[in-house]
Amino acid sequence: PVTLGLAIVEDAFDNTSIIEAVEPNQFLSREPELLSIAKQRMNRLPFAEADLLIVDQMGKEFSGTGMDTNVIGRKGHDKHPGPDETPRISEIYIRSLSKKSGGNASGIGIAEYCHRQVVEAMDAEVTRINCVTAAHVSAGAVPLTFDSDHDVLDAVISQIGKEHATEQKWIWISNTLHVDELACSVHFWDEAQQRADLQILCEPRPLKF
């Protein structure tokens, strides 16, 4: 006999926001309601579309796939979002692999580009075992590898066909667990100014490499 269930819902900052005891006869009715609340409180990117998402660090402490697919919008497919899924990110660039991952780069295959230091930090055997065990072998595929951020952005611009800076839509985050503060291209400037849910921390400025 089951006495009760204890439901725990986290917020976008990885803090516990709800702890609720649920009686067994309410499991099937209350669980969907709590799941809906959890999805509403989940961390997410502030914009629905982007040509490029730059991720400073992927790692197992952020998500089992290195990057939370709820945040990057690729839950059903490694390379593109579902028909009704947001955000819609065209390409992803990973800059590093966290030390806590112990070389496990499972999820690297979700990205289109990565910095060479990601590959150098990757333990191929550990990654292979994780991907095979999870029945997600494509998650271990190594994306196009570059030696510098500048080279990656050159490649991205050649692919998206938007040479003018005001047309390019990119978002830059530290990792998918912490998206409360981020950088983005000037394309989003006007929208950000009109959004009451966003706080602008600085004026537009050139990228420095």
Side-chain angles (χ1 to χ4, degrees):
V2 178
T3 303
L4 58 84
L6 192 63
I8 303 174
V9 177
E10 293 184 342
D11 63 14
F13 299 98
D14 209 28
N15 298 317
T16 300
S17 60
I18 296 176
I19 300 178
E20 181 177 321
V22 183
E23 294 185 7
N25 62 358
Q26 296 178 326
F27 282 0
L28 296 181
S29 60
R30 186 55 179 155
E31 175 70 13
E33 295 172 348
L34 290 169
L35 181 59
S36 178
I37 294 172
K39 288 181 177 179
Q40 293 171 12
R41 298 184 182 185
M42 189 178 297
N43 58 341
R44 56 174 52 87
L45 298 177
F47 307 111
E49 294 185 1
D51 299 313
L52 175 68
L53 175 64
I54 302 169
V55 183
D56 274 345
Q57 196 172 56
M58 66 171 287
K60 299 296 285 186
E61 70 265 44
F62 310 128
S63 173
T65 52
M67 300 178 290
D68 189 341
T69 53
N70 290 298
V71 175
I72 63 177
R74 298 185 178 186
K75 287 186 68 65
H77 193 283
D78 287 349
K79 297 302 181 183
H80 57 74
D84 301 319
E85 188 177 17
T86 56
R88 307 188 71 80
I89 306 297
S90 298
E91 298 185 316
I92 296 175
Y93 166 43
I94 304 170
R95 301 184 68 232
S96 68
L97 177 65
S98 72
K99 290 183 178 180
K100 288 185 178 180
S101 294
N104 190 337
S106 177
I108 190 175
I110 298 174
E112 281 73 27
Y113 311 94
C114 73
H115 196 284
R116 188 167 301 282
Q117 63 186 3
V118 180
V119 179
E120 292 175 348
M122 176 179 175
D123 185 316
E125 183 177 2
V126 169
T127 302
R128 180 171 61 250
I129 292 172
N130 190 162
C131 292
V132 171
T133 304
H136 189 185
V137 294
S138 59
V142 177
L144 287 179
T145 305
F146 292 80
D147 293 321
S148 74
D149 298 324
H150 198 286
D151 289 344
V152 173
L153 293 184
D154 277 346
V156 171
I157 291 172
S158 73
Q159 300 302 302
I160 64 177
K162 299 176 181 177
E163 293 187 8
H164 200 280
T166 57
E167 297 178 312
Q168 299 161 18
K169 297 183 288 184
W170 56 260
I171 302 170
W172 179 9
I173 63 176
S174 56
N175 56 68
T176 56
L177 184 60
H178 304 103
V179 296
D180 53 315
E181 190 171 311
L182 51 84
C184 60
S185 62
V186 73
H187 173 88
F188 298 108
W189 177 249
D190 290 340
E191 179 183 346
Q193 287 182 303
Q194 298 170 12
R195 293 265 298 271
D197 60 327
L198 299 179
Q199 179 184 3
I200 297 175
L201 300 179
C202 68
E203 296 289 317
R205 56 189 179 189
L207 278 174
K208 293 184 178 181
F209 295 94

